[in-house]
Structure formats: structure tokens, C-alpha cells
Amino acid sequence: AAGVIQSPRHLIKEKRETATLKCYPIPRHDTVYWYQQGPGQDPQFLISFYEKMQSDKGSIPDRFSAQQFSDYHSELNMSSLELGDSALYFCASSSREAGGTDTQYFGPGTRLTVL
Amino acid sequence: AQKVTQAQTEISVVEKEDVTLDCVYETRDTTYYLFWYKQPPSGELVFLIRRNSFDEQNEISGRYSWNFQKSTSSFNFTITASQVVDSAVYFCALSEADNNAGNMLTFGGGTRLMVKP
């Protein structure tokens, strides 16, 4: 079965640079989520989109922005990178289920290293 | 506010032992969902199970079983006859249930399980 695709899988950037992470959800999934997982920590929710509209927002820094496109893929744009942004960034996708919450399926993650 | 607590940060067992991973949650919602995810050393997050707050039936899937007790706000996960391949970090997670899509997951701190041969 097709899974969530994230690119790139690894990214190395310098401080103050920008980075763009991409996420391609499972086919026919309409909701995308972004999470950040620091070393030895649990994943922290950043933001989600349903049908190309922002749905829920967590602890996403103002330096970060995201959007979902017409083909349902999503991009997380990160500017003015800081050392503390070094983390594993997960994208997850789900299919809207009536009257309930959706099971989120995660991609393999993008490991971002800021030097 | 939602909160998930996994008190066991690390557990080490010998292969074929049974092991239970504890999860305690807090939420003001009357309707919510609970999840378990596995994160092996390769780093991906693998979905294991989802349970809604209305369904307190225990579930068994092969060597895995889950015990949901609403009275104690716990959703524990037992691996029977553990194997080396079970070595991973296991996360318990909670999500509120409403009619909005895109609800966030709140994760516990994770339990690192090491199964030794």
C-alpha cells in the first residue's frame, strides 16, 4: 500500500538559511499534519490542513509557514533557521471520517540538521 | 488541556518475556481517541492501534494486546513473548474527537523497549 512520502529525507543547512520540506499524502487522504521531534523527545504538533485550509495550529514558530496545494501535497517552509530547529520533521496524512477523529499515518520523516 | 504520561522511560527484557507498557491520559473531553505508535531505530512512526472513548473492549492482535480502562484513564499495551524485533520506542497518543478534521495528536514521552536475545 502507498505510504506518505516526504522529501528530502535528510537536509543540512546553515544558521539563518531557509528550508522547504515536502509531503505527499497517501492517495485519497485529504488531511495533512506536520510534527517536529527533537532528539529524545516525543513528536510535537505544528500545524494541519484539511482540504487546503488550515485546520489546527500548534507550537509552530512564526518563522515557519506551511500550505496544502490543490493536489493535496503540503510544504513546510522554514526561514531564519536556528540551531534549535535541528529535528526530525514528520508529515502525517489521514482521510476524513464522519463524526470522529482520523487515524494519522506518518511518513518516514525529514531529518534537518542546522549547523 | 490534554496530557499523556508514560511513566516508564525505558524497559529492558529478555526475549520471550511478556512486557506491559503503561499509558495514563488526561482530558476534559468526553469523546476522545487513543493511539499507540511504534518508532523503531530506523525512525519512522508506525501506527499500531486506535481506540475511541466509547469502546472499552480490550483488543488482541497476535502477540499484542491493549487494555483500556476509562475508570483509571489508562490505555496499557502488552507484548506477549517479546522478540528482538519489538525493540523500539513506543508512543501512546490522545486526540479529541469533534467534527473538525485535522485534530492534533498529543503524545506521551515514549517508552524505549529493549528486548535482549
Side-chain angles (χ1 to χ4, degrees), chain B residues 10-41:
Chain B
E10 203 166 288
I11 300 175
S12 181
V13 298
V14 176
E15 213 171 14
K16 297 183 185 175
E17 285 186 6
D18 298 346
V19 59
T20 295
L21 310 182
D22 298 333
C23 173
V24 174
Y25 62 91
E26 297 173 31
T27 179
R28 284 182 229 161
D29 296 325
T30 55
T31 305
Y32 50 89
Y33 284 78
L34 295 163
F35 302 81
W36 276 95
Y37 285 87
K38 174 182 180 180
Q39 187 171 40

Short mmCIF file of all heavy atoms in Angstrom, two decimals, chain B residues 10-41:
data_model
loop_
_atom_site.label_atom_id
_atom_site.label_comp_id
_atom_site.label_asym_id
_atom_site.label_seq_id
_atom_site.Cartn_x
_atom_site.Cartn_y
_atom_site.Cartn_z
N GLU B 10 12.21 3.67 30.06
CA GLU B 10 12.99 2.62 29.43
C GLU B 10 12.70 1.28 30.11
O GLU B 10 12.63 1.21 31.33
CB GLU B 10 14.48 2.95 29.56
CG GLU B 10 15.37 2.30 28.54
CD GLU B 10 16.75 2.93 28.52
OE1 GLU B 10 16.87 4.08 28.05
OE2 GLU B 10 17.69 2.28 28.99
N ILE B 11 12.50 0.25 29.31
CA ILE B 11 12.28 -1.10 29.84
C ILE B 11 13.21 -2.06 29.10
O ILE B 11 13.30 -1.99 27.87
CB ILE B 11 10.83 -1.56 29.65
CG1 ILE B 11 9.84 -0.65 30.36
CG2 ILE B 11 10.64 -2.99 30.15
CD1 ILE B 11 8.39 -1.00 30.10
N SER B 12 13.83 -2.94 29.84
CA SER B 12 14.69 -3.95 29.22
C SER B 12 14.19 -5.33 29.64
O SER B 12 13.98 -5.58 30.82
CB SER B 12 16.14 -3.75 29.69
OG SER B 12 16.99 -4.69 29.08
N VAL B 13 13.97 -6.18 28.65
CA VAL B 13 13.52 -7.54 28.93
C VAL B 13 14.35 -8.50 28.09
O VAL B 13 15.04 -8.11 27.15
CB VAL B 13 12.02 -7.74 28.60
CG1 VAL B 13 11.16 -6.82 29.46
CG2 VAL B 13 11.74 -7.53 27.13
N VAL B 14 14.24 -9.76 28.46
CA VAL B 14 14.89 -10.82 27.68
C VAL B 14 13.85 -11.42 26.76
O VAL B 14 12.66 -11.52 27.11
CB VAL B 14 15.49 -11.89 28.61
CG1 VAL B 14 16.09 -13.03 27.82
CG2 VAL B 14 16.54 -11.25 29.53
N GLU B 15 14.28 -11.80 25.60
CA GLU B 15 13.37 -12.38 24.60
C GLU B 15 12.47 -13.43 25.24
O GLU B 15 12.90 -14.19 26.12
CB GLU B 15 14.19 -13.01 23.48
CG GLU B 15 13.54 -12.93 22.13
CD GLU B 15 14.46 -13.38 21.00
OE1 GLU B 15 15.51 -13.99 21.28
OE2 GLU B 15 14.12 -13.09 19.85
N LYS B 16 11.22 -13.44 24.80
CA LYS B 16 10.17 -14.36 25.22
C LYS B 16 9.48 -13.92 26.50
O LYS B 16 8.47 -14.54 26.88
CB LYS B 16 10.67 -15.80 25.35
CG LYS B 16 11.15 -16.38 24.02
CD LYS B 16 11.57 -17.82 24.15
CE LYS B 16 12.16 -18.32 22.83
NZ LYS B 16 12.70 -19.69 22.93
N GLU B 17 9.98 -12.91 27.15
CA GLU B 17 9.27 -12.37 28.32
C GLU B 17 8.08 -11.55 27.84
O GLU B 17 8.08 -10.99 26.76
CB GLU B 17 10.19 -11.48 29.15
CG GLU B 17 11.21 -12.20 29.98
CD GLU B 17 11.99 -11.25 30.88
OE1 GLU B 17 11.65 -10.05 30.93
OE2 GLU B 17 12.94 -11.70 31.51
N ASP B 18 7.06 -11.47 28.70
CA ASP B 18 5.94 -10.58 28.45
C ASP B 18 6.28 -9.21 29.04
O ASP B 18 6.98 -9.11 30.06
CB ASP B 18 4.67 -11.10 29.11
CG ASP B 18 4.25 -12.46 28.57
OD1 ASP B 18 4.78 -12.88 27.52
OD2 ASP B 18 3.39 -13.10 29.20
N VAL B 19 5.79 -8.16 28.40
CA VAL B 19 6.08 -6.82 28.90
C VAL B 19 4.85 -5.93 28.69
O VAL B 19 4.16 -6.04 27.67
CB VAL B 19 7.32 -6.22 28.19
CG1 VAL B 19 7.13 -6.15 26.69
CG2 VAL B 19 7.68 -4.86 28.77
N THR B 20 4.58 -5.09 29.68
CA THR B 20 3.44 -4.16 29.60
C THR B 20 3.94 -2.74 29.66
O THR B 20 4.71 -2.37 30.56
CB THR B 20 2.44 -4.41 30.74
OG1 THR B 20 1.87 -5.71 30.58
CG2 THR B 20 1.32 -3.37 30.71
N LEU B 21 3.50 -1.94 28.70
CA LEU B 21 3.84 -0.53 28.63
C LEU B 21 2.63 0.27 29.12
O LEU B 21 1.52 0.09 28.62
CB LEU B 21 4.19 -0.12 27.20
CG LEU B 21 5.20 -1.01 26.47
CD1 LEU B 21 5.49 -0.47 25.08
CD2 LEU B 21 6.47 -1.15 27.27
N ASP B 22 2.87 1.13 30.10
CA ASP B 22 1.77 1.86 30.71
C ASP B 22 1.53 3.20 30.03
O ASP B 22 2.47 3.86 29.56
CB ASP B 22 2.09 2.12 32.20
CG ASP B 22 2.22 0.84 32.99
OD1 ASP B 22 1.61 -0.17 32.60
OD2 ASP B 22 2.94 0.85 34.01
N CYS B 23 0.27 3.60 30.01
CA CYS B 23 -0.12 4.90 29.46
C CYS B 23 -1.28 5.43 30.27
O CYS B 23 -2.30 4.76 30.42
CB CYS B 23 -0.52 4.76 27.99
SG CYS B 23 -1.22 6.27 27.26
N VAL B 24 -1.13 6.64 30.79
CA VAL B 24 -2.19 7.31 31.54
C VAL B 24 -2.46 8.63 30.84
O VAL B 24 -1.52 9.33 30.43
CB VAL B 24 -1.77 7.54 33.00
CG1 VAL B 24 -2.81 8.36 33.72
CG2 VAL B 24 -1.57 6.20 33.70
N TYR B 25 -3.72 8.99 30.72
CA TYR B 25 -4.05 10.21 29.98
C TYR B 25 -4.96 11.11 30.80
O TYR B 25 -5.62 10.66 31.75
CB TYR B 25 -4.70 9.85 28.64
CG TYR B 25 -5.99 9.09 28.78
CD1 TYR B 25 -7.21 9.77 28.85
CD2 TYR B 25 -6.01 7.71 28.88
CE1 TYR B 25 -8.39 9.08 29.01
CE2 TYR B 25 -7.19 7.02 29.03
CZ TYR B 25 -8.38 7.70 29.10
OH TYR B 25 -9.56 7.01 29.26
N GLU B 26 -4.99 12.37 30.41
CA GLU B 26 -5.88 13.35 31.00
C GLU B 26 -6.55 14.12 29.88
O GLU B 26 -5.89 14.58 28.94
CB GLU B 26 -5.10 14.36 31.88
CG GLU B 26 -4.42 13.77 33.08
CD GLU B 26 -3.56 14.81 33.79
OE1 GLU B 26 -3.91 16.00 33.74
OE2 GLU B 26 -2.53 14.43 34.38
N THR B 27 -7.86 14.28 29.99
CA THR B 27 -8.59 15.09 29.03
C THR B 27 -9.90 15.52 29.64
O THR B 27 -10.46 14.81 30.48
CB THR B 27 -8.85 14.32 27.72
OG1 THR B 27 -9.60 15.16 26.83
CG2 THR B 27 -9.62 13.03 27.96
N ARG B 28 -10.39 16.69 29.24
CA ARG B 28 -11.69 17.15 29.71
C ARG B 28 -12.79 16.73 28.74
O ARG B 28 -13.98 16.90 29.03
CB ARG B 28 -11.69 18.67 29.84
CG ARG B 28 -10.96 19.16 31.05
CD ARG B 28 -11.03 20.67 31.16
NE ARG B 28 -9.71 21.22 31.39
CZ ARG B 28 -9.37 22.49 31.18
NH1 ARG B 28 -10.25 23.33 30.71
NH2 ARG B 28 -8.16 22.91 31.42
N ASP B 29 -12.38 16.22 27.59
CA ASP B 29 -13.38 15.81 26.60
C ASP B 29 -14.04 14.50 27.03
O ASP B 29 -13.41 13.63 27.64
CB ASP B 29 -12.72 15.61 25.23
CG ASP B 29 -12.15 16.90 24.70
OD1 ASP B 29 -12.75 17.96 24.94
OD2 ASP B 29 -11.11 16.84 24.03
N THR B 30 -15.30 14.37 26.69
CA THR B 30 -16.00 13.11 26.97
C THR B 30 -15.81 12.14 25.83
O THR B 30 -15.98 10.93 26.00
CB THR B 30 -17.50 13.37 27.20
OG1 THR B 30 -18.01 14.07 26.06
CG2 THR B 30 -17.72 14.20 28.45
N THR B 31 -15.48 12.67 24.66
CA THR B 31 -15.23 11.82 23.50
C THR B 31 -13.81 12.07 23.03
O THR B 31 -13.43 13.21 22.76
CB THR B 31 -16.23 12.15 22.37
OG1 THR B 31 -17.56 12.03 22.86
CG2 THR B 31 -16.02 11.18 21.21
N TYR B 32 -13.05 11.01 22.91
CA TYR B 32 -11.66 11.15 22.52
C TYR B 32 -11.17 9.82 21.94
O TYR B 32 -11.86 8.80 22.00
CB TYR B 32 -10.78 11.57 23.71
CG TYR B 32 -10.98 10.73 24.95
CD1 TYR B 32 -10.23 9.56 25.16
CD2 TYR B 32 -11.94 11.08 25.89
CE1 TYR B 32 -10.45 8.78 26.28
CE2 TYR B 32 -12.16 10.29 27.02
CZ TYR B 32 -11.41 9.16 27.21
OH TYR B 32 -11.62 8.38 28.33
N TYR B 33 -9.98 9.88 21.35
CA TYR B 33 -9.38 8.69 20.75
C TYR B 33 -7.99 8.49 21.34
O TYR B 33 -7.27 9.46 21.61
CB TYR B 33 -9.27 8.83 19.23
CG TYR B 33 -10.60 8.64 18.53
CD1 TYR B 33 -11.54 9.67 18.49
CD2 TYR B 33 -10.91 7.45 17.90
CE1 TYR B 33 -12.75 9.51 17.84
CE2 TYR B 33 -12.10 7.27 17.25
CZ TYR B 33 -13.03 8.30 17.22
OH TYR B 33 -14.23 8.13 16.59
N LEU B 34 -7.62 7.25 21.50
CA LEU B 34 -6.30 6.88 22.00
C LEU B 34 -5.59 6.05 20.95
O LEU B 34 -6.21 5.25 20.24
CB LEU B 34 -6.43 6.08 23.30
CG LEU B 34 -7.02 6.87 24.48
CD1 LEU B 34 -7.50 5.93 25.56
CD2 LEU B 34 -5.99 7.85 25.02
N PHE B 35 -4.29 6.23 20.88
CA PHE B 35 -3.47 5.56 19.87
C PHE B 35 -2.19 5.02 20.50
O PHE B 35 -1.71 5.53 21.50
CB PHE B 35 -3.06 6.54 18.76
CG PHE B 35 -4.20 7.21 18.04
CD1 PHE B 35 -4.85 8.30 18.60
CD2 PHE B 35 -4.59 6.76 16.79
CE1 PHE B 35 -5.90 8.93 17.93
CE2 PHE B 35 -5.63 7.38 16.11
CZ PHE B 35 -6.28 8.46 16.68
N TRP B 36 -1.64 4.01 19.85
CA TRP B 36 -0.28 3.58 20.11
C TRP B 36 0.47 3.59 18.78
O TRP B 36 -0.05 3.10 17.76
CB TRP B 36 -0.21 2.18 20.72
CG TRP B 36 -0.40 2.17 22.21
CD1 TRP B 36 -1.56 1.97 22.89
CD2 TRP B 36 0.61 2.35 23.20
NE1 TRP B 36 -1.33 2.02 24.24
CE2 TRP B 36 -0.01 2.25 24.46
CE3 TRP B 36 2.00 2.58 23.15
CZ2 TRP B 36 0.69 2.37 25.67
CZ3 TRP B 36 2.70 2.70 24.34
CH2 TRP B 36 2.05 2.59 25.58
N TYR B 37 1.70 4.15 18.83
CA TYR B 37 2.60 4.13 17.68
C TYR B 37 3.93 3.53 18.10
O TYR B 37 4.36 3.68 19.24
CB TYR B 37 2.86 5.57 17.17
CG TYR B 37 1.71 6.18 16.41
CD1 TYR B 37 0.69 6.86 17.09
CD2 TYR B 37 1.64 6.10 15.02
CE1 TYR B 37 -0.37 7.43 16.39
CE2 TYR B 37 0.58 6.67 14.32
CZ TYR B 37 -0.42 7.33 15.02
OH TYR B 37 -1.46 7.89 14.32
N LYS B 38 4.57 2.88 17.15
CA LYS B 38 5.89 2.28 17.36
C LYS B 38 6.93 3.05 16.54
O LYS B 38 6.68 3.33 15.35
CB LYS B 38 5.87 0.82 16.91
CG LYS B 38 7.22 0.11 16.95
CD LYS B 38 7.09 -1.32 16.43
CE LYS B 38 8.42 -2.06 16.45
NZ LYS B 38 8.29 -3.46 15.94
N GLN B 39 8.06 3.38 17.16
CA GLN B 39 9.14 4.04 16.43
C GLN B 39 10.39 3.19 16.55
O GLN B 39 11.12 3.25 17.53
CB GLN B 39 9.40 5.46 16.98
CG GLN B 39 10.40 6.25 16.14
CD GLN B 39 10.49 7.71 16.55
OE1 GLN B 39 10.47 8.05 17.73
NE2 GLN B 39 10.61 8.59 15.57
N PRO B 40 10.65 2.36 15.55
CA PRO B 40 11.86 1.51 15.57
C PRO B 40 13.10 2.37 15.36
O PRO B 40 12.99 3.57 15.06
CB PRO B 40 11.63 0.56 14.39
CG PRO B 40 10.68 1.26 13.49
CD PRO B 40 9.84 2.15 14.36
N PRO B 41 14.28 1.77 15.51
CA PRO B 41 15.52 2.54 15.37
C PRO B 41 15.64 3.25 14.02
O PRO B 41 16.34 4.27 13.93
CB PRO B 41 16.60 1.45 15.53
CG PRO B 41 15.95 0.42 16.39
CD PRO B 41 14.51 0.39 15.98
#
